[in-house]
Amino acid sequence: MIRLDIFSDPVCPWCYLGKANLDRALATNPAHPFKIQWHPFQLNPDMPPEGVAKRAYLEEKFGGKARVDAVHERLREVARAAGVEIDPDRPARMPNTLNAHRLIHWAGIEGRQDALVTALMRAYWVEGRDIGDAETLAAIAAETGMDREATLRLLNSDADASDIAARDADARAKGVNSVPTFLVAQQYVVTGAQPPEFWGQVIEELAGREN
């Protein structure tokens, strides 16, 4: 197996699109060599714990309503071309994602990490759920087979919070400055929401190298 380390944040739309594209490539190539590990990277590490109103936050960040509308329309165009369901206007909150990253870490321990990342991204980008809320996160965990009550207890504690923050800081120190960032075989860095065809070519080249 070949390691594929992915640095992402569930509230990053390009991470959602990038995962959907990668998933399509992996489904087309079921004998792919990848062993996937998800890593934390907070787009907005200074976000208040309770989050903020998403639309107001984006309008301030990008410079007004028209600019946000244009960005959202561009996202819809890319998503439609990729056959991915997304509604950039659906989420009402821009959450702090530290707890979401803690949940992704715990899902990895249980061997449910990829399913949990998919569920988190869908919950936010399609269903508009607040993935900064502990009750919501516990419910999403339960939907992927994790224990809801145990997860909620962990979320209401400081368990692994400092470790996740340290891993985020370490990624930045090593040069990760945008997401999604993919590290193939601990050697090759790929950034952005690459199309399925790109990943299909990578899988082909890796298979040829193995042979």
Side-chain angles (χ1 to χ4, degrees), residues 87-107:
D87 183 358
D89 287 314
R90 189 77 186 272
R93 304 291 293 172
M94 178 65 78
N96 181 300
T97 55
L98 177 61
N99 282 344
H101 285 297
R102 288 202 292 159
L103 184 55
I104 292 169
H105 169 69
W106 299 327

Side-chain angles (χ1 to χ4, degrees), residues 5 16 20 25 34-35 52 55 62-63 65 96 104 115 122 141 143 145 162 168 170 175 190 192 194 201:
D5 296 288
Y16 174 54
F34 290 135
K35 180 179 181 180
V52 297
R55 185 72 196 204
F62 289 115
K65 180 180 183 301
N96 181 300
I104 292 169
R122 181 171 181 81
E143 290 162 15
S162 59
D168 185 310
D170 183 64
V190 178
Q194 300 295 331
Q201 184 179 353

